[in-house]
Amino acid sequence: MRVATVDIGTNSTRLLIAEVQPDGAVAELVRLSRVTRLGEHVDSGGDLNESAIERTCAVLGDYRDLIDEHHCEANLAVLTSAVRDASNGPAFAERVRRDYALDARTLSGDEEAQLTFLGAMSDREPSTDLTVVIDIGGGSTEFVVGHDHTAGFHVSLQAGVVRMSERHLHSDPPAPPELQSLAHDTRRIFLDGLPADERLAVRHGIAVAGTATSAAAIDLELDPYDPARVHGYPLLLATIDLLLARLAEMTEDQRRHVVGLNPDRAPTIVAGMILLSEALRAFELDSVEVSEHDILYGGALRLAGLG
């Protein structure tokens, strides 16, 4: 079955067009990501602003053309933290349905977590070891604990790269007290929202989405980006901390020239590294496996009736 999944997130808008086989294998035909910052200033203002909406809609127009060109049988557009939080989120979702003929659904945090887990675990061998899937987004971070293809505990916490950057980082490069404030706030949010018994039972971690894949690409010095090398990459906590120290010393313009980093992620990557570091520390993990299979894969499997 040929399907299209669009992830309209707080920081980026992404597309997957894929063939899904009856056994659950997902063959990518098109995969694209554009940083659109839909959630810009939602944390402080409460609304999606007009320029962010127009940036996102321009990308959706391009994606709609690609979906038509590939004759997809079904589509799903998932709207997450920014749209959940914004007072004009329902109006934006209706515009996506009306203007781009996308089946737009504003997911709850729990639904987002479940769909992410489905994607992340889709190609893995059965195991009884508890795994946490970590999805650091622009407005929130989802944690899902489970094994095999069965999700158990899951939570969506209000800490994401756009939200935390706007809340804490006001200097360029960030001042040490700003970095410490962001780390302290993140640690509090994570520990308050993650029960100790759930955290301490986890033996393995998988990190999906832009922060984790960017960290792997920077460490590998990939130019151009190579998803095959990023998928499955073991990322050490010590490496994340070294990358954080390196990136935090740079101005935003300097970060735009770092090999392996999409320049559009330069404004938020420092917050992302802090969030990723604190996520691993919360679960007492020394490393995490980076995965390219995320909510886009979960959406494709759901469309094909396999999740």
Side-chain angles (χ1 to χ4, degrees):
M1 183 176 182
R2 184 169 294 188
V3 300
T5 310
V6 181
D7 173 24
I8 304 174
T10 301
N11 194 45
S12 60
T13 301
R14 303 182 303 137
L15 170 69
L16 173 67
I17 297 174
E19 296 274 6
V20 183
Q21 304 300 323
D23 63 357
V26 179
E28 293 186 13
L29 303 178
V30 176
R31 184 161 182 157
L32 296 172
S33 178
R34 307 261 188 91
V35 174
T36 51
R37 298 288 294 275
L38 178 63
E40 187 175 34
H41 305 313
V42 166
D43 189 52
S44 57
D47 289 331
L48 303 173
N49 69 61
E50 194 59 34
S51 60
I53 289 173
E54 293 309 316
R55 284 196 302 269
T56 304
C57 285
V59 171
L60 291 177
D62 293 341
Y63 288 177
R64 180 69 253 182
D65 291 342
L66 287 167
I67 292 168
D68 291 340
E69 287 173 17
H70 286 80
H71 306 290
C72 295
E73 300 169 55
N75 73 69
L76 172 66
V78 295
L79 299 93
T80 54
S81 177
V83 180
R84 281 198 301 269
D85 295 346
S87 60
N88 56 345
F92 174 72
E94 177 55 33
R95 179 175 175 181
V96 173
R97 284 188 285 268
R98 182 189 68 240
D99 293 355
Y100 303 101
L102 294 171
D103 183 9
R105 304 182 194 179
T106 302
L107 302 183
S108 68
D110 286 350
E111 290 170 331
E112 184 177 355
Q114 292 277 10
L115 212 55
T116 297
F117 190 82
L118 175 63
M121 302 298 282
S122 61
D123 63 343
R124 305 186 66 79
E125 294 297 324
S127 171
T128 58
D129 288 343
L130 282 180
T131 294
V132 60
V133 175
I134 303 165
D135 180 3
I136 298 171
S140 63
T141 296
E142 279 64 52
F143 295 93
V144 196
V145 176
H147 64 85
D148 197 6
H149 294 168
T150 304
F153 171 81
H154 52 277
V155 67
S156 177
L157 301 178
Q158 294 292 87
V161 299
V162 174
R163 188 188 302 274
M164 301 305 269
S165 294
E166 291 181 352
R167 189 177 292 179
H168 294 282
L169 304 184
H170 310 295
S171 305
D172 188 24
E178 295 173 352
L179 298 169
Q180 293 162 9
S181 174
L182 197 159
H184 178 79
D185 194 14
T186 299
R187 192 175 308 127
R188 176 188 59 78
I189 291 169
F190 285 178
L191 295 182
D192 285 352
L194 294 165
D197 57 341
E198 297 290 350
R199 291 188 282 110
L200 297 179
V202 165
R203 294 292 176 266
H204 181 63
I206 299 173
V208 301
T211 291
T213 57
S214 294
I218 296 169
D219 194 37
L220 288 163
E221 298 184 332
L222 295 182
D223 186 17
Y225 185 82
D226 183 352
R229 293 186 64 190
V230 167
H231 185 64
Y233 186 71
L235 190 63
L236 300 177
L237 174 59
T239 300
I240 297 167
D241 288 341
L242 286 171
L243 291 175
L244 169 60
R246 174 187 165 197
L247 294 165
E249 289 181 345
M250 299 179 181
T251 64
E252 180 180 318
D253 184 64
Q254 289 171 328
R255 291 195 296 273
R256 289 182 183 276
H257 296 89
V258 171
V259 175
L261 180 64
N262 180 332
D264 290 338
R265 293 193 178 276
T268 57
I269 191 61
V270 171
M273 291 297 178
I274 292 174
L275 287 161
L276 186 56
S277 173
E278 292 297 334
L280 266 67
R281 285 185 161 83
F283 286 88
E284 298 185 4
L285 295 172
D286 294 326
S287 65
V288 69
E289 178 184 339
V290 179
S291 176
E292 285 278 340
H293 297 176
D294 52 22
I295 197 170
L296 289 172
Y297 267 62
L301 291 166
R302 183 68 54 84
L303 282 171
L306 298 174

